[in-house]
Amino acid sequence: MQKISRRSFLKIAAGVGAAAAVPLTLTMDFKVFAQDIQDDKVTKVPSLCNGCSSTCGLWAYVKNGRLWKVEGNEANMKSMGKLCARGHGVAYNVYDPGRVTQPMKRVGDNKFQPISWEEAFQEVGTKTRQILDEHGGDKFVWACHGGKETYAAKFLDVIGSPNYITHYATCFTAKTNIWDKMCGGMYNPDFDNAKYMIFAGRNYAGGIIPAAMKRITEAKEKGVKIIVVDPRFCELATIADEWIPIRPGTDLALYLGIAHTLISENLYDKSFVEQFVFGFDFFWMYNKDFSAEKAAEITGISADKIKELARDLAANAPHAFLEPGYHGLHAHYKNSNETAMMNVIINALIGNFWREGGLFPAASTTFGHPEDTYFGPKAEMGSRADGAGVAGQYPLVEAGRGIPQRIPDMIEKGQAKVVFFYHYNPLRSAPEPEYQKKIKNADLVVSIPCDWNETSVYTADYILPENHYLERMEHPKVINGNIYWAAAQVAARFKALDATSSSLDLLDILKGFTTAYGINNLYGFTIEEDMAASLGPIGISPDKLKEEGCIELRTSVLPKIEGITFNTFTHKIEFCIGAWKKEGFIGVPTWISPLVEPQGENEFRLIHGKQPWHSHIMTTNNPYLMAITEDYNGTYMWMNTERATKLGLKEGDWVTVANDIATKTTQVHVTEGLHPDCVWVPSTYGTYSDKLENGYGKGFNYNDFIPARVDEKTGHVMGQECIVTISKGGK
Amino acid sequence: MEKIKKWYGVLMGSITEQNKAYASLFIIFADLFKYPEKENYNELLNGEIDKQIEQLSRLAGHPIITSFKDEIGSYEEIVQAFNDCFLGITTPFAPPVESVYKVWTTDDSFQVPLKNQKGHLLGDSALHIRHIVQALGLEIPTEYEMMPDHLTILLELYSYLNQEGLISEAEQFKKDHLDWLPDFYNSLIKIERNQPYSNIVLKLNEVLKQ
Ligand code: SF4
């Protein structure tokens, strides 16, 4: 009889003969072994949290190769020693048996076969090659979250595909697009020195950055005035001096009313505008009739309050700001682009750019890169399948971000044949899941996730699991943005936990895939070599970075009055966007009504936002975070008390939410803390992959109700241009 | 000198035909928790597996009778059952992994909430299996490094110890690492499509308890 069968998993290790005796090093008794390993040392390894895109710095404490403790890194400007609940929960995911534990091949509807990495590479590489040889390299799409090195660009470059698409059109693409066009990039608020802060469309206590909340709280303790404009009494509003419940979709009118007051009352910083603004007169010409009174009619905020906000901003300028916002306003309304423009304009009118207590660009640095190792042929670059940046299609959309909600359409039109999803789950995070499910009609779909997300389960032909972030070393990262910090910081993920090779690093996945595709040595470097090459030009060694966890570079962004310049065509802040004029638009913001309005007694605008213990859909399956959801009835939909009473609803009642795309049921939270025009749901829930055991079937997601629209200027989804009817009952 | 020290130890016991049959029996059971290839399915369907189990268990002195051939449906159905039970495209699912059914660690110094909980990978038991595998000069495939205490590996390891005549080590191993099968069975029967796997676990437990 055979010692070990043909299909045996266990093998005699190479170079080792069959055991002739029981080695003395063997501790056979489990209790003794478990006791012995308690004496192992605890070591600490730096990493960056993967719980949201803030990438807070952390230390992973490790004992016998496993996670012993995780804590925020004091030196990191995002964490300042603290991690939020999500950060802790996501770290523990590493031991979740619900991870995809090895490569999977679809063998039927909802049926997968575990296969080896070797088989996976061969099959995916060969199939991709066959399809692209027949249809052209530009039929390949790489879709990902964005914001980190994915190495995919090298492959796209060789095959001639420009189709690198990120999720931003469903998040905040109007903001980055507009700020770049108007002032050459993003600017961040100086929480430490401001005397007056207005937050609109950004809830730092819900979409948490620990260091930002720390600094806002400290500012509050110093007596700084904090105003929160939000249809919902959000978590940040709980610490604000004032909560202003605006009618959803009308922030643009509020901003126009503030700007009107600043200009008509001569409160704006004329000297700043003269020196650093282009297009002021043009802007004023179009908006001189949009008074605070007019804004009041639209927003539901009194004209006096609007004027007060303008006067307070001016009185505290330049130590004041209208916070630039984030997800809340910048992909969700027909007027999101103009809202973003007005944010720039109000801050410019109070002259706070580069001023203490105002706004500053992010300090940054430039990394090196490993030398090229591929010198073979490259295909001619095709044109973008999503039309981003393409004349006659979506010329104003940033090609670097793309239009992800168009992927099913691209597949239907034959513009996309092979689609790779890297840590991106459009079947849950993009509009209209039933429409997104058409992604499975592509010739080949490959998903590189950590868990069994909906996109993998419903559309992927192959699932190639990437390992948990604590199990891998990654290309270093510049830590900056969102909060003013005078110096750039450099940090990286280092491998903290034992190899769990059932999943692989992205670089190794791409090496295996591209080799099987037939491109040799495209990634002829190790992750260690990549790290060394990246850090080389800034004089940091990987060892030093590993020892310190986070290294701050020289101070490079300090307040200044002289020498201010903006990275635009005129080197000024452009109130009028030239590229828009070229495409036939006015170029300056003017009032634009939301696309849809609730009309009837049971109609509401459906809006959404983050809960402090979840990162949109990323954390929905985390047992620790879902336990918090249970404790706080976190899946409930918020509704204004007066509207609820009219519908005969009380706390916890079941309701049916419907429009022409979807019908869902949920329970209601009845509250004074919400504008009557809307209902609010957390952006987290509605998991429909039942493989995601902890999140499955809990609550619903706003994406269920919105069509996959594309804004003509910046490509966003208009995610809150959505009316639903609500009726009692349904469970 | 180091090498000599390392390999000096208890000499192996003598290997009888009975040991060999007993060892082979668990290789057969180990195979049943791997993805069902068509070939294995056919062996199950035509009764070959039942026959081998019957012969080997009798030779080993632990006779059992199985009728797995009557409990499996079509090939698609067993693939579906494997998915439902172990990959869990539907929930709940029951990973065939020891750590999941045991408290993650008994080391109270850990400062993570999972330390006293069940339901996680890479618990103390997984570390022990990894230790045994390394000490014996064996290797597990990369796809299973995160779960060295996967039932297939445990059974192959148990088989190996018996095959090599390491009988007292095998006994200790059984006591420490094959004691969770009743919990595994209880998880399996909560899954609608649990056959043939729940029966395989029952039979496996039966032979182990003899
Ligand atoms: S804010 Fe929380 S989830 Fe996001 S990176 Fe920081 S600790 Fe992680």
Side-chain angles (χ1 to χ4, degrees):
Chain A
M1 248 162 252
Q2 305 160 296
K3 273 190 178 173
I4 290 178
S5 83
R6 191 169 43 82
R7 286 181 83 209
S8 173
F9 282 175
L10 271 184
K11 300 265 186 286
I12 309 283
V16 179
V22 178
L24 278 181
T25 50
L26 175 63
T27 305
M28 201 67 211
D29 188 313
F30 178 40
K31 281 206 184 76
V32 175
F33 174 82
Q35 192 60 45
D36 285 354
I37 58 170
Q38 293 196 12
D39 297 334
D40 286 3
K41 279 205 178 73
V42 176
T43 54
K44 65 176 196 173
V45 181
S47 188
L48 296 170
C49 178
N50 200 33
C52 76
S53 49
S54 295
T55 53
C56 289
L58 61 83
W59 289 105
Y61 290 76
V62 182
K63 186 175 183 182
N64 36 64
R66 295 182 298 176
L67 187 63
W68 185 78
K69 181 175 93 168
V70 64
E71 72 179 13
N73 184 336
E74 279 288 347
N76 184 291
M77 55 89 84
K78 296 282 177 80
S79 52
M80 286 178 129
K82 292 263 184 305
L83 297 178
C84 74
R86 299 169 294 167
H88 285 274
V90 168
Y92 311 144
N93 271 355
V94 64
Y95 301 116
D96 178 4
R99 285 173 59 178
V100 183
T101 48
Q102 72 178 95
M104 297 285 163
K105 172 184 180 172
R106 180 180 296 279
V107 290
D109 269 355
N110 282 355
K111 281 205 268 301
F112 289 88
Q113 173 182 355
I115 55 173
S116 71
W117 277 104
E118 194 47 45
E119 290 168 306
F121 290 145
Q122 275 315 319
E123 292 186 22
V124 173
T126 317
K127 285 182 184 176
T128 306
R129 182 77 196 225
Q130 280 165 357
I131 298 165
L132 299 189
D133 278 354
E134 187 184 340
H135 298 285
D138 61 352
K139 303 299 179 294
F140 180 92
V141 172
W142 176 273
C144 58
H145 181 279
K148 67 170 267 198
E149 173 60 85
T150 67
Y151 303 103
K154 277 182 183 290
F155 178 65
L156 295 173
D157 197 33
V158 172
I159 62 170
S161 170
N163 298 315
Y164 188 98
I165 300 182
T166 68
H167 88 294
Y168 293 108
T170 59
C171 190
F172 57 64
T173 197
K175 167 177 153 170
T176 47
N177 187 312
I178 298 297
W179 281 71
D180 196 53
K181 287 189 170 69
M182 290 179 74
C183 40
M186 275 316 306
Y187 281 71
N188 308 299
D190 176 7
F191 295 125
D192 295 344
N193 297 297
K195 294 179 184 148
Y196 185 82
M197 312 177 184
I198 300 179
F199 295 88
R202 180 155 208 174
N203 170 18
Y204 273 104
I208 297 175
I209 299 177
M213 266 323 285
K214 181 171 184 281
R215 294 163 79 189
I216 293 168
T217 313
E218 283 168 5
K220 165 86 184 159
E221 280 160 10
K222 282 191 302 196
V224 171
K225 191 153 183 195
I226 297 174
I227 309 290
V228 169
V229 179
D230 194 317
R232 184 175 77 102
F233 187 65
C234 64
E235 290 78 4
L236 188 62
T238 62
I239 66 158
D241 293 279
E242 198 169 343
W243 168 51
I244 300 177
I246 190 169
R247 174 171 291 124
T250 66
D251 298 66
L252 171 61
L254 170 68
Y255 294 176
L256 284 166
I258 290 175
H260 190 275
T261 307
L262 288 171
I263 297 169
S264 60
E265 294 187 7
N266 266 321
L267 300 171
Y268 71 102
D269 185 334
K270 283 194 204 63
S271 149
F272 184 89
V273 168
E274 270 162 26
Q275 284 182 78
F276 302 117
V277 168
F278 169 83
F280 173 84
D281 294 337
F282 196 53
F283 165 75
W284 187 233
M285 185 177 89
Y286 272 95
N287 290 291
K288 59 178 179 302
D289 296 331
F290 202 100
S291 62
E293 284 72 18
K294 185 158 185 187
E297 282 167 29
I298 296 170
T299 59
I301 304 167
S302 73
D304 284 349
K305 178 55 69 182
I306 295 170
K307 287 177 186 169
E308 181 189 314
L309 295 177
R311 289 168 191 155
D312 285 351
L313 274 170
N316 289 288
H319 296 87
F321 56 75
L322 169 61
E323 206 277 341
Y326 205 63
H327 176 102
L329 294 174
H330 293 123
H332 301 312
Y333 296 105
K334 190 176 174 212
N335 60 29
S336 280
N337 305 316
E338 290 74 13
T339 307
M341 291 170 90
M342 282 308 303
N343 195 307
V344 175
I345 288 172
I346 287 174
N347 283 300
L349 289 175
I350 61 170
N352 67 4
F353 284 75
W354 286 96
R355 301 280 156 82
E356 193 180 80
L359 301 181
F360 293 88
S364 196
T365 188
T366 309
F367 286 144
H369 46 80
E371 281 183 15
D372 277 343
T373 53
Y374 173 78
F375 304 101
K378 290 184 179 180
E380 196 182 321
M381 195 55 76
S383 71
R384 281 193 73 96
D386 61 1
V390 179
Q393 296 186 49
Y394 298 98
L396 298 169
V397 175
E398 293 165 288
R401 298 191 189 266
I403 310 175
Q405 67 272 33
R406 282 209 57 220
I407 292 175
D409 180 41
M410 288 149 55
I411 291 167
E412 203 170 318
K413 292 187 171 129
Q415 296 164 320
K417 295 277 182 190
V418 179
V419 188
F420 274 45
F421 292 102
Y422 171 60
H423 270 281
Y424 178 45
N425 180 19
L427 261 69
R428 187 58 289 173
S429 66
E432 212 182 339
E434 288 307 314
Y435 173 67
Q436 298 296 330
K437 280 184 186 169
K438 291 186 177 171
I439 286 169
K440 72 171 183 293
N441 297 334
D443 291 8
L444 181 66
V445 180
V446 177
S447 180
I448 306 176
C450 214
D451 60 6
W452 286 92
N453 63 34
E454 284 83 356
T455 302
S456 304
V457 170
Y458 287 91
T459 73
D461 296 297
Y462 291 87
I463 305 174
L464 309 180
E466 191 189 29
N467 47 24
H468 187 275
Y469 79 92
L470 288 171
E471 297 165 346
R472 64 181 186 248
M473 181 173 176
E474 269 188 10
H475 184 81
K477 209 168 162 45
V478 182
I479 305 297
N480 62 6
N482 291 302
I483 310 168
Y484 164 57
W485 198 260
Q489 297 187 332
V490 175
R493 291 188 174 126
F494 286 88
K495 182 176 162 53
L497 303 179
D498 261 4
T500 54
S501 311
S502 44
S503 46
L504 288 181
D505 295 1
L506 179 61
L507 183 57
D508 287 335
I509 294 175
L510 285 177
K511 281 181 182 179
F513 159 65
T514 51
T515 305
Y517 180 91
I519 306 174
N520 283 324
N521 221 19
L522 183 59
Y523 304 100
F525 50 87
T526 63
I527 187 66
E528 288 80 8
E529 287 163 349
D530 178 30
M531 167 98 65
S534 304
L535 298 176
I538 46 177
I540 297 175
S541 75
D543 285 347
K544 190 167 161 57
L545 188 58
K546 188 171 182 184
E547 194 186 311
E548 297 189 16
C550 177
I551 293 178
E552 188 154 309
L553 306 179
R554 239 177 319 139
T555 299
S556 57
V557 177
L558 287 173
K560 59 181 176 184
I561 294 182
E562 299 293 314
I564 298 175
T565 179
F566 295 88
N567 193 18
T568 58
F569 182 72
T570 57
H571 301 297
K572 295 184 174 190
I573 298 172
E574 299 189 352
F575 280 17
C576 176
I577 299 178
W580 280 26
K581 289 187 80 173
K582 203 166 145 248
E583 294 298 327
F585 300 107
I586 304 172
V588 292
T590 55
W591 170 242
I592 291 175
S593 302
L595 188 68
V596 292
E597 292 286 359
Q599 306 285 347
E601 182 145 278
N602 62 350
E603 284 190 359
F604 295 79
R605 182 183 292 280
L606 177 64
I607 66 168
H608 66 271
K610 256 185 178 176
Q611 277 176 330
W613 62 92
H614 280 296
S615 278
H616 298 306
I617 57 154
M618 250 188 79
T619 52
T620 322
N621 196 43
N622 188 290
Y624 305 97
L625 304 177
M626 285 308 286
I628 304 176
T629 293
E630 293 292 322
D631 287 350
Y632 289 92
N633 294 330
T635 57
Y636 282 23
M637 178 177 75
W638 290 34
M639 184 185 281
N640 175 273
T641 309
E642 206 183 313
R643 299 284 314 265
T645 308
K646 278 192 186 149
L647 293 178
L649 294 170
K650 56 184 188 325
E651 182 74 11
D653 277 354
W654 281 91
V655 291
T656 301
V657 185
N659 70 359
D660 52 4
I661 298 178
T663 301
K664 300 277 169 187
T665 56
T666 191
Q667 285 168 281
V668 282
H669 169 50
V670 176
T671 173
E672 297 288 343
L674 189 70
H675 193 280
D677 277 13
C678 57
V679 283
W680 178 90
V681 288
S683 56
T684 301
Y685 306 107
T687 295
Y688 62 92
S689 164
D690 50 12
K691 182 69 181 77
L692 301 175
E693 191 172 12
N694 301 305
Y696 176 64
K698 302 206 171 125
F700 72 80
N701 195 281
Y702 69 95
N703 279 303
D704 295 333
F705 291 89
I706 55 173
R709 282 183 294 231
V710 182
D711 168 76
E712 61 182 341
K713 293 180 191 125
T714 64
H716 63 79
V717 291
M718 299 187 241
Q720 292 181 164
E721 296 287 18
C722 174
I723 305 301
V724 291
T725 59
I726 292 176
S727 52
K728 191 172 179 172
K731 176 73 176 172
Chain B
M1 189 61 194
E2 274 307 307
K3 201 170 178 187
I4 295 170
K5 257 198 213 159
K6 191 176 165 203
W7 286 101
Y8 173 78
V10 183
L11 284 175
M12 286 191 303
S14 61
I15 305 161
T16 64
E17 284 306 310
Q18 197 176 354
N19 290 147
K20 285 185 187 170
Y22 189 68
S24 297
L25 181 61
F26 290 101
I27 290 293
I28 294 189
F29 273 104
D31 249 19
L32 296 174
F33 293 96
K34 294 172 190 162
Y35 181 80
E37 302 284 356
K38 203 70 189 243
E39 197 185 326
N40 313 105
Y41 167 75
N42 289 337
E43 284 176 354
L44 264 174
L45 191 69
N46 65 23
E48 186 57 32
I49 298 288
D50 290 321
K51 203 166 97 198
Q52 283 192 31
I53 289 175
E54 196 269 319
Q55 284 174 356
L56 289 168
S57 65
R58 190 163 30 79
L59 272 174
H62 299 281
I64 55 164
I65 302 287
T66 57
S67 54
F68 298 144
K69 75 175 166 47
D70 302 327
E71 287 149 13
I72 56 166
S74 65
Y75 179 62
E76 283 64 36
E77 281 171 329
I78 195 171
V79 168
Q80 187 71 60
F82 181 89
N83 271 257
D84 290 359
C85 293
F86 305 141
L87 306 184
I89 301 304
T90 51
T91 51
F93 76 118
V97 180
E98 183 185 357
S99 285
V100 173
Y101 303 90
K102 294 193 169 168
V103 166
W104 193 63
T105 182
T106 51
D107 183 345
D108 212 39
S109 73
F110 273 79
Q111 297 182 31
V112 289
L114 53 120
K115 68 176 174 182
N116 299 319
Q117 298 171 356
K118 292 182 180 179
H120 306 283
L121 296 173
L122 217 63
D124 286 353
S125 49
L127 295 192
H128 191 219
I129 302 303
R130 194 179 274 175
H131 163 78
I132 295 172
V133 166
Q134 280 166 2
L136 292 175
L138 300 171
E139 266 177 5
I140 43 182
T142 47
E143 284 77 15
Y144 286 84
E145 278 185 17
M146 188 182 177
M147 29 189 195
D149 50 351
H150 187 285
L151 187 53
T152 292
I153 291 163
L154 297 182
L155 293 174
E156 288 186 1
L157 201 46
Y158 182 55
S159 168
Y160 180 81
L161 293 168
N162 280 291
Q163 174 76 38
E164 297 294 326
L166 302 170
I167 304 302
S168 66
E169 284 76 11
E171 265 310 298
Q172 177 79 48
F173 184 87
K174 181 168 85 168
K175 188 160 76 76
D176 288 340
H177 294 292
L178 294 169
D179 57 341
W180 53 281
L181 297 180
D183 290 340
F184 177 40
Y185 176 78
N186 286 334
S187 292
L188 274 173
I189 56 173
K190 289 186 191 129
I191 298 162
E192 199 180 320
R193 203 190 308 257
N194 59 51
Q195 293 296 8
Y197 293 108
S198 54
N199 260 349
I200 294 173
V201 174
L202 270 189
K203 286 292 172 187
L204 173 62
N205 205 38
E206 184 184 325
V207 74
L208 282 165
K209 282 173 92 176
Q210 283 187 22

